[in-house]
Amino acid sequence: MNFFKRLFSIGKKPAKDLDKNEIDDLNVEKHEESIQKDSIKEEVKQTKSKPEPEPEPEPEPEPEPELEPEPEPDPEPEPKEKEGFFKRLLKKTNKKSLDKSLEKTSNSFFDKIKKAVVGKTKVDVEVLDELEEILITSDVGVKTTIKIIDAIESRVAKEKYTNPQELNLILKEEIGNIIFDEKNDDFDIDDKPYVILVVGVNGVGKTTSIGKLAAFFKSQGLSVMIGAADTFRAAAIEQLEEWATRAGVEIVKQQMGSDPASVSYDTLNSAIKKNKDVVIIDTAGRLHNKINLMNELSKISRVLQKLNINAPHEILLVLDGSTGQNAYEQAKQFSEATKVTSMMVTKLDGTAKGGVVIGISDQLSIPIKFIGTGESIEDLELFDKKDFVESFFQNKI
């Protein structure tokens, strides 16, 4: 830079006046300056031409550890089918009581069979004719008897039964096959109160049966309320009230001549408020005219459904087993007038006409749920086809 300062400074000497040494100095300085400039240019050139270093590659992220698949949960065990209320109770049938109840029917029936096969060496047409007459006179009913005889005749021909003593065995099997036992276990304790409408003609033991039913349900830990809706029969309300007291359950009643539908409504309404499990409503038994019976029961059902759309859950027909074929006719008439869903056969303990149970069950295809086996409030048995047939044949095979 000294070179330029001297070159452009005021009062500087012209180049021609410079001495030789000064000119040499200037040339040296100029040369050095040129070299310095070239050096700077070269450095800049090299800097520009020098490739930028490639950035170091980012380290690859470590792979995330694979998550172990969660173990599949053990399959839930299939829920066991909830055992219905009546199915549980069927295990509690008092077999001794049932045997005693059917003792007269069994003895009468098999005494006749013994006489029919005595001295016989094979099951022939004559033996089957005798058996047919025995079944009919035991109140099994003509149509059901013919079905049983046809089945036995077919088996004798096919399976070559020849010994009259084997007749009891195949008879037992065929009677068991013919009894209608397709219970839809519809006692839904979750839809409470469960309403049972009890129907039946006067004199069949309807009031007594309601008292037994109330005691029966109470013995199973259920709370019960009775409705006295048979407001036509004299003393019906008082009798039912007595049975309610014996059973230890509440009863709803009105004065004689009151509207049965009104009594039914009050009963269910009270049962709902008190959170009862079962409601049993008595109905009039003197409505022999089918139209009147239908209208009365329809009216009761309509008012009940204002409180519970499913009520009544069951229409239970009570029959007197001691009346034989009359019981069948009653069952037929009631089933034509209203939708009977179950039956109860009473007074089997004092009669030899227990065979009517077989015919009613077969001909009407309505399940028999209860059997009355005596006068006591505890004398009520749940009907079970297998137990009934076993008691009917009571060690006769």
Side-chain angles (χ1 to χ4, degrees), residues 81-349:
E81 185 178 347
K82 188 177 180 181
E83 193 174 31
F85 176 78
F86 280 103
K87 289 180 182 176
R88 293 197 304 272
L89 295 183
L90 285 174
K91 300 173 183 177
K92 302 179 182 181
T93 301
N94 187 332
K95 187 66 167 53
K96 288 184 179 179
S97 177
L98 190 58
D99 286 347
K100 186 177 179 181
S101 177
L102 292 175
E103 187 175 4
K104 288 184 179 179
T105 298
S106 179
N107 289 339
S108 173
F109 183 78
F110 286 101
D111 284 346
K112 294 174 184 177
I113 287 184
K114 284 180 182 177
K115 293 176 183 177
V117 299
V118 65
K120 302 290 184 179
T121 57
K122 62 179 181 178
V123 178
D124 54 16
V125 175
E126 185 178 351
V127 170
L128 293 177
D129 286 344
E130 289 278 359
L131 178 59
E132 183 177 330
E133 183 178 344
I134 293 168
L135 289 168
I136 291 174
T137 56
S138 298
D139 290 287
V140 172
V142 175
K143 291 183 179 179
T144 302
T145 294
I146 292 173
K147 288 170 71 173
I148 293 173
I149 294 299
D150 287 346
I152 292 175
E153 191 172 14
S154 175
R155 287 188 61 178
V156 167
K158 183 178 179 181
E159 301 172 22
K160 308 300 180 185
Y161 284 101
T162 57
N163 187 344
Q165 278 64 45
E166 294 176 324
L167 182 61
N168 289 354
L169 177 63
I170 57 176
L171 179 61
K172 178 180 178 181
E173 291 177 1
E174 292 306 323
I175 287 178
N177 291 336
I178 210 166
I179 292 177
F180 182 82
D181 193 34
E182 295 180 13
K183 291 189 185 74
N184 56 336
D185 187 32
D186 55 1
F187 190 94
D188 184 5
I189 197 62
D190 294 326
D191 184 24
K192 67 180 185 180
Y194 184 84
V195 182
I196 302 174
L197 205 59
V198 182
V199 299
V201 300
N202 292 335
V204 297
K206 184 160 56 74
T207 305
T208 302
S209 297
I210 291 172
K212 290 181 177 181
L213 281 172
F216 171 77
F217 286 122
K218 186 180 178 184
S219 72
Q220 305 303 318
L222 301 175
S223 56
V224 183
M225 181 173 285
I226 293 175
D230 182 357
T231 59
F232 296 106
R233 183 169 66 87
I237 298 173
E238 290 77 5
Q239 289 176 4
L240 194 59
E241 189 173 13
E242 181 182 341
W243 276 101
T245 302
R246 291 175 63 181
V249 302
E250 294 185 56
I251 183 171
V252 173
K253 61 179 182 176
Q254 294 182 11
Q255 293 183 350
M256 185 177 174
S258 301
D259 182 7
S262 174
V263 179
S264 302
Y265 182 92
D266 287 349
T267 304
L268 181 54
N269 191 39
S270 178
I272 291 172
K273 290 179 179 178
K274 295 182 179 181
N275 199 31
K276 298 293 185 181
D277 295 314
V278 183
V279 169
I280 307 172
I281 299 176
D282 187 17
T283 62
R286 71 181 186 89
L287 299 174
H288 301 297
N289 183 293
K290 291 179 186 177
I291 299 299
N292 290 344
L293 175 64
M294 237 192 301
N295 290 341
E296 188 64 45
L297 295 178
S298 295
K299 183 179 178 182
I300 291 174
S301 296
R302 285 197 305 273
V303 300
L304 292 175
Q305 286 165 6
K306 291 179 180 179
L307 298 171
N308 184 333
I309 191 62
N310 296 318
H313 300 84
E314 186 171 347
I315 298 179
L316 175 68
L317 173 62
V318 180
L319 299 169
D320 181 353
S322 67
T323 61
Q325 283 302 296
N326 284 339
Y328 169 74
E329 288 301 322
Q330 290 173 20
K332 184 178 177 183
Q333 290 176 17
F334 269 94
S335 64
E336 289 172 354
T338 188
K339 187 180 179 181
V340 175
T341 59
S342 62
M343 294 183 289
M344 175 177 177
V345 183
T346 66
K347 306 181 184 179
L348 284 179
D349 55 306

Side-chain angles (χ1 to χ4, degrees), residues 1-8 18 20-38:
M1 294 300 293
N2 293 329
F3 169 79
F4 288 103
K5 286 179 180 178
R6 287 196 302 268
L7 185 63
F8 294 103
L18 295 175
K20 186 176 183 300
N21 290 332
E22 288 178 336
I23 293 172
D24 290 338
D25 290 339
L26 287 172
N27 287 335
V28 170
E29 287 181 8
K30 186 178 180 180
H31 179 69
E32 288 177 354
E33 188 73 21
S34 175
I35 291 173
Q36 188 177 4
K37 286 180 179 181
D38 290 342

Side-chain angles (χ1 to χ4, degrees), residues 40-51:
I40 292 170
K41 288 180 180 180
E42 182 68 24
E43 187 177 347
V44 171
K45 184 179 178 181
Q46 287 179 358
T47 302
K48 287 183 179 181
S49 63
K50 186 178 180 180

